[in-house]
Amino acid sequence: MRPEKFLLVATLLVAGLSSLGLVPASHPAPKKPNIIIILADDMGYSDIGCFGSDARTPNLDAMAAGGLKMTNFYNASRCCPSRASLLTGLYQHQAGVGDMVNTRTQPAYQGYLNKNCVTIAEALKTGGYNTFMAGKWHVGQAPEHWPVKRGFDHYFGLIDGANSYFENRPYRPNQKLTIALDDKPYTPGPGYYSTDAYTDHAIEFIDQSKSTGKPFFLYLAYQAPHWPLHALPEDIAKYKGKFMAGWDKLREQRFERLQKLGVINKNTKLSPRDERVPAWESLSQEEKVRWDEKMAVYCAMIDRMDQNIGKLRQKLKDLGQDQNTVIMFLSDNGGSSEAIKGTGFLPEIIEANKKPSSDPSSFTAYEFPGANVSNAPFRFFKHWTYEGGTATPFIAYGPGIVKPGRTDATPGHLVDLMATCLDLAQVAYPKTYNANQIKPTEGISMVPVFKGQPWKGHNALFFEHEGNRAVRQGKWKLVSEFPANKWQLYDLEADRSELHDLSAGNPQKVQELTVMYDKWATHAEVIPFEQLSKAGEF
């Protein structure tokens, strides 16, 4: 046989065998990306630099500039429900955390992730991923519901909802708080600061797994800036004295930055100061100084979180993984108006609330005034389903995957993170897991948005938390607050701050969206809040 004919026959033979999978293909499959989700806790819509904040967040700002900002992204308005939704790609009721981690008789409100959902970690493990978590869990307090039982290879962090940043410290009578390493309780030593510790353990997990050659998924759920307001002295020093202009001026400054940055459109108006917040001029000098200090500590907490995100990104670069990692950042709800006062707290916590926020032994929150600044330009706060409770800054960054320098106003939701992660990893969403039927995901992959491609998104998004309800479809949002239960209608394109209720002039739209909400509520296993059994009741 002539050489050229032999070469042709050999080439055709190899090609045929390769197509049958009998010899390696000449071009290996693209390497799967590492995936990181970073969740802030109780952080408001305008609390990072690229969304208008006074806090210094150069690492998050760089990710936004080199990636994508989504300005109409939503959470579930409260810690536990948002975490359940994020982890499972379901609405929180479908995952078993319809309210908080309190146990109730109804399955949708049992207070921990059920067996008819999978976590992102469980799903990605089937696709060959190492899976790690560091930070606040808050979707199952019993050891059988801890992260290592829900798909994570390694875990370090706070199992519960809140704690001191410096030590393991209960704040309610008969309360046991748990910091855990993998599946064992962990006692922090001297020099512990939770934000640093979460990052250090996350980096350790990544470092220890590098020899496996597998991609990794990391869920880094910072406790910051949830109360108590605890920060390190060197971070507080950057901000102390910078907020003496008062909350009205600070909100106006944030509003101007939000517009200049293109985060909100020209139709958006700054909501009035919340009625529960006094005029700044009415405060004594002592009260002004105390609030300035609270705001300084709050911003310092976010600053330290950003520093740690920078430390994590540097580690990725050192490992040569920075060009093959997609990072997503968001908050679990709007700014918190909660206070450390009155019943439910230990006497020593009430006493610690009287100390300056810069004192490491203090136990303070920044209450309605601070949350009103954090959520600028919106109304209301964590717990409610107005924009101030449910809107979150969202950033996605990933060289070669996320098209840089873009701002997108298409509505997205926590439920989309599961589908997005599986799409990035090219892993199928399971119909069954551990012999349990798995509920279909409610989310839609946002990878097209990341790539700058057309994305149809959701026909509608739905919200319910402790009787507070909402549905958003296109520009329209229907909202009601518990216990009044009266529907209000807003045009978010013209009025993102929800200042003008249009329900009286649009009864047909109210009826249309009410029908949609009721149908969703039945599908998602929502029970009217007043009909729920008491927490802890069996």
Side-chain angles (χ1 to χ4, degrees):
M1 180 183 295
R2 294 174 63 183
E4 59 270 22
K5 289 187 176 181
F6 178 82
L7 181 61
L8 176 61
V9 171
T11 301
L12 292 172
L13 180 62
V14 170
L17 293 174
S18 177
S19 68
L20 295 173
L22 299 177
V23 297
S26 57
H27 300 289
K31 187 177 180 182
K32 292 184 175 183
N34 307 308
I35 302 170
I36 299 175
I37 294 175
I38 302 174
L39 185 69
D41 192 0
D42 280 14
M43 193 192 80
Y45 186 77
S46 59
D47 271 340
I48 57 176
C50 54
F51 276 76
S53 178
D54 313 271
R56 301 175 191 174
T57 55
N59 293 289
L60 286 169
D61 297 349
M63 286 167 50
L68 167 72
K69 287 195 300 188
M70 293 184 72
T71 57
N72 279 259
F73 204 88
Y74 290 99
N75 51 52
S77 83
R78 194 74 175 270
C79 304
C80 323
S82 284
R83 290 158 204 277
S85 189
L86 181 156
L87 282 164
T88 66
L90 303 173
Y91 284 104
Q92 61 269 24
H93 316 79
Q94 298 169 304
V97 191
D99 182 14
M100 301 291 282
V101 294
N102 304 314
T103 54
R104 298 183 190 271
T105 56
Q106 295 91 341
Y109 297 81
Q110 65 185 21
Y112 56 88
L113 299 180
N114 61 37
K115 297 297 185 182
N116 299 115
C117 66
V118 291
T119 66
I120 297 173
E122 288 170 329
L124 288 180
K125 278 180 73 72
T126 67
Y129 273 70
N130 291 318
T131 56
F132 312 125
M133 180 182 172
K136 175 175 164 177
W137 177 238
H138 209 200
V139 285
Q141 293 172 291
E144 61 267 28
H145 305 308
W146 286 7
V148 290
K149 299 298 195 298
R150 295 307 309 237
F152 289 96
D153 296 326
H154 292 292
Y155 169 72
F156 174 81
L158 176 66
I159 295 295
D160 312 279
N163 203 347
S164 166
Y165 287 67
F166 296 108
E167 58 185 326
N168 194 19
R169 186 181 185 190
Y171 54 91
R172 291 200 170 107
N174 304 315
Q175 182 180 43
K176 182 180 183 295
L177 297 177
T178 303
I179 297 171
L181 177 59
D182 291 337
D183 59 352
K184 298 287 190 292
Y186 175 94
T187 302
Y192 177 86
Y193 183 70
S194 64
T195 305
D196 292 343
Y198 297 160
T199 311
D200 291 344
H201 279 85
I203 288 173
E204 184 179 337
F205 297 153
I206 292 169
D207 217 17
Q208 290 173 348
S209 72
K210 61 187 178 184
S211 62
T212 67
K214 294 181 179 181
F216 67 82
F217 167 65
L218 168 64
Y219 173 38
L220 181 52
Y222 286 114
Q223 190 179 338
H226 193 291
W227 55 261
L229 301 182
H230 281 168
L232 298 172
E234 60 267 34
D235 296 326
I236 298 172
K238 301 177 188 178
Y239 298 100
K240 208 164 182 181
K242 294 187 180 298
F243 306 102
M244 292 298 289
W247 38 66
D248 290 328
K249 187 66 176 176
L250 292 169
R251 294 184 76 240
E252 290 169 5
Q253 290 171 350
R254 288 198 181 198
F255 176 70
E256 290 169 4
R257 291 189 208 113
L258 285 162
Q259 286 197 316
K260 186 176 180 180
L261 291 164
V263 174
I264 55 176
N265 66 32
K266 61 183 180 181
N267 296 321
T268 304
K269 300 289 188 288
L270 177 63
S271 63
R273 179 188 350 112
D274 189 89
E275 62 185 10
R276 289 156 285 203
V277 180
W280 179 254
E281 292 74 19
S282 71
L283 302 184
S284 68
Q285 184 64 17
E286 182 181 357
E287 289 172 322
K288 290 178 179 179
V289 169
R290 182 172 173 80
W291 189 84
D292 170 80
E293 184 173 69
K294 282 189 177 190
M295 197 67 186
V297 175
Y298 183 84
C299 283
M301 295 164 78
I302 294 171
D303 186 312
R304 176 61 58 158
M305 177 177 65
D306 185 80
Q307 292 177 49
N308 276 275
I309 291 169
K311 186 194 302 184
L312 175 61
R313 292 187 65 202
Q314 183 60 50
K315 184 62 179 181
L316 296 174
K317 187 174 182 179
D318 294 344
L319 293 174
Q321 295 292 329
D322 56 314
Q323 299 297 303
N324 189 47
T325 301
V326 175
I327 305 174
M328 291 170 271
F329 172 87
L330 69 162
S331 178
D332 65 346
N333 45 247
S336 170
S337 60
E338 295 163 312
I340 313 298
K341 296 177 181 177
T343 61
F345 292 96
L346 292 168
E348 53 265 38
I349 296 299
I350 299 298
E351 193 61 31
N353 180 54
K354 300 174 185 177
K355 297 180 179 180
S357 297
S358 57
D359 185 333
S361 65
S362 67
F363 213 95
T364 62
Y366 79 162
E367 307 178 41
F368 281 106
N372 204 196
V373 173
S374 284
N375 291 337
F378 305 137
R379 301 164 59 224
F380 282 81
F381 316 97
K382 167 186 176 179
H383 171 79
W384 287 275
T385 55
Y386 296 97
E387 296 291 279
T390 58
T392 177
F394 181 90
I395 297 169
Y397 174 82
I401 297 174
V402 181
K403 190 175 179 181
R406 295 178 50 251
T407 298
D408 193 291
T410 310
H413 191 280
L414 287 167
V415 294
D416 298 324
L417 296 187
M418 167 71 83
T420 302
C421 290
L422 297 191
D423 192 1
L424 289 168
Q426 292 298 289
V427 173
Y429 182 82
K431 294 182 178 179
T432 61
Y433 187 82
N434 286 345
N436 296 302
Q437 290 292 319
I438 301 303
K439 298 173 184 178
T441 184
E442 299 286 344
I444 304 171
S445 171
M446 298 185 294
V447 170
V449 186
F450 290 5
K451 294 181 176 180
Q453 299 169 353
W455 190 61
K456 184 179 179 181
H458 296 266
N459 177 47
L461 293 170
F462 301 90
F463 308 85
E464 192 279 335
H465 178 62
E466 295 187 348
N468 297 294
R469 306 169 294 165
V471 52
R472 174 168 180 175
Q473 185 184 47
K475 71 175 186 176
W476 294 106
K477 185 176 176 187
L478 194 68
V479 191
S480 82
E481 57 182 289
F482 185 83
N485 296 332
K486 181 183 181 300
W487 287 117
Q488 303 156 42
L489 181 69
Y490 298 99
D491 176 351
L492 296 191
E493 285 184 4
D495 179 26
R496 182 84 191 275
S497 298
E498 299 166 306
L499 302 178
H500 305 290
D501 177 11
L502 304 177
S503 58
N506 294 272
Q508 186 173 346
K509 178 57 67 174
V510 171
Q511 178 61 21
E512 176 189 332
L513 294 177
T514 301
V515 170
M516 289 179 64
Y517 176 86
D518 290 342
K519 183 177 180 181
W520 167 81
T522 300
H523 165 75
E525 306 170 55
V526 175
I527 297 172
F529 191 58
E530 63 273 14
Q531 296 177 18
L532 285 176
S533 62
K534 293 181 180 178
E537 186 176 273
F538 277 94

